[in-house]
Amino acid sequence: KDRSSKSFFNNMKNKLSSRNTPEDVGQALRSGMDRLLPNLPGGSGASGSRSVSPGPQGRPPAGRVATNQPTPESEINKNVQQAINACRPEARSLLQNRQHMEVIKEALNEGYCDVSGMEGDLVLVGNVENIRIYAGKDIPNPRELLLQTKLDSIRRFITIIRPLKKVYKLPDASLHIFYDLSGPVIAFNAGGALFLNLRYYEGWHDTQLKQKEPMKAMISWFFTLAHEIAHNLIGPHNAEHSYYMNQISQTHLLALVDELQALQFGISQA
């Protein structure tokens, strides 16, 4: 198994470093992850709800004026970097009007959707390993719940999102964790501040982390973050948002493969 896994990682790095088309790279990632992680919900998909894969990306977003020449790769990469640079820390202790934030909704027949009119504010309850932790205002004794009862699961979640912060080269303190009691919100982007839901991590991935199997979780949250980062460029969930989510994912796949290899074989990443 180790030999097969190493072969997959080396093959992926060769493809990502060469002139293969985005379709080739995306297919290699999907087929390889399906072999390594056969029980990942939705194949090698994102967020555990439906498959989201890198590519194809040969066409410009819908609505863009067609020209005889493709958009220069340098311009696309400039926009991707702009989306990364737009991520920021959240300084507020109380987040209100969440109905205006972009979110991911768990629904197999709808995929990623906006959740509008969502009630309930988030309050800052503390800081764990330099990541700010928020809780729904309706949660009783939130500091005790999150900073004591759920502290171990938060720390395991951080072992997933910290490498992803490095993969995307996100600004310091731009990732935040929140916890609510119910609802479909997996993650959201609050004006560049990225929030990830501990409740969904616990439901989907914490058991795997306890068993020292972090790869499925890292792949899932990699695509979730790409979705949210893309909202720094495009607000609505439309073809252009999907285009930039794919570009952001593809641009950072090589770094993801390095982190997955480090997790699989205990390789130290500089």
Side-chain angles (χ1 to χ4, degrees), residues 14-34:
N14 289 336
K15 283 184 177 292
L16 289 166
S17 301
S18 66
R19 290 292 184 178
N20 286 278
T21 66
E23 290 86 347
D24 292 337
V25 173
Q27 182 58 41
L29 181 67
R30 289 192 295 274
S31 62
M33 291 307 177
D34 286 341

Side-chain angles (χ1 to χ4, degrees), residues 80-81 83-87 161-172 174-175 225 229 251-252 254-256 258:
V80 168
Q81 190 58 50
I84 297 294
N85 292 342
C87 296
I161 64 178
R162 178 175 287 125
L164 292 176
K165 174 182 173 291
K166 182 167 66 171
V167 165
Y168 284 114
K169 297 183 172 63
L170 293 170
D172 288 341
S174 58
L175 292 179
L225 281 173
I229 293 168
T251 301
H252 296 88
L254 182 57
L256 174 65
D258 284 339

Side-chain angles (χ1 to χ4, degrees), residues 33 39 59 62 67-68 70 74 80 95 98 122 148-149 153 168 176 199 240 251:
M33 291 307 177
N39 297 319
R59 298 183 300 276
T67 65
N68 292 331
S74 60
V80 168
L95 271 67
R98 290 174 61 197
L122 293 177
Q148 296 182 33
T149 306
S153 64
Y168 284 114
H176 311 75
R199 180 166 56 86
E240 193 164 11
T251 301

Side-chain angles (χ1 to χ4, degrees), residues 27-231:
Q27 182 58 41
L29 181 67
R30 289 192 295 274
S31 62
M33 291 307 177
D34 286 341
R35 290 198 303 273
L36 287 177
L37 309 172
N39 297 319
L40 183 66
S44 56
S47 303
S49 58
R50 68 180 295 179
S51 178
V52 177
S53 57
Q57 299 158 52
R59 298 183 300 276
R64 180 172 293 175
V65 176
T67 65
N68 292 331
Q69 298 296 327
T71 302
E73 187 176 14
S74 60
E75 291 187 16
I76 296 173
N77 291 340
K78 182 179 179 181
N79 286 345
V80 168
Q81 190 58 50
Q82 177 183 332
I84 297 294
N85 292 342
C87 296
R88 62 168 186 84
E90 177 56 67
R92 291 174 292 175
S93 296
L94 173 64
L95 271 67
Q96 297 174 302
N97 299 323
R98 290 174 61 197
Q99 63 267 27
H100 298 302
M101 298 176 186
E102 298 295 339
V103 299
I104 297 174
K105 182 176 182 179
E106 181 192 19
L108 288 175
N109 60 335
E110 296 180 11
Y112 292 119
C113 303
D114 286 332
V115 179
S116 60
M118 185 174 178
E119 296 184 2
D121 300 330
L122 293 177
V123 294
L124 177 67
V125 299
N127 186 305
V128 177
E129 299 182 24
N130 295 320
I131 292 181
R132 288 161 72 90
I133 311 297
Y134 289 78
K137 287 188 70 175
D138 59 339
I139 295 177
N141 302 316
R143 289 184 60 84
E144 179 181 350
L145 176 67
L146 294 175
L147 302 184
Q148 296 182 33
T149 306
K150 293 185 177 293
L151 182 59
D152 287 343
S153 64
I154 288 175
R155 285 177 169 157
R156 284 189 292 270
F157 194 13
I158 290 173
T159 67
I160 292 300
I161 64 178
R162 178 175 287 125
L164 292 176
K165 174 182 173 291
K166 182 167 66 171
V167 165
Y168 284 114
K169 297 183 172 63
L170 293 170
D172 288 341
S174 58
L175 292 179
H176 311 75
I177 293 173
F178 75 100
Y179 183 82
D180 56 12
L181 294 177
S182 63
V185 181
I186 301 168
F188 66 85
N189 180 329
L194 308 178
F195 285 76
L196 306 177
N197 195 334
L198 176 69
R199 180 166 56 86
Y200 279 94
Y201 160 77
E202 288 183 320
W204 288 338
H205 300 126
D206 195 45
T207 298
Q208 299 164 13
L209 267 290
K210 290 178 181 177
Q211 297 170 351
K212 310 298 183 183
E213 298 175 357
M215 292 181 65
K216 297 177 186 178
M218 183 168 288
I219 295 167
S220 176
W221 291 99
F222 170 81
F223 286 108
T224 296
L225 281 173
H227 180 104
E228 294 307 327
I229 293 168
H231 279 307

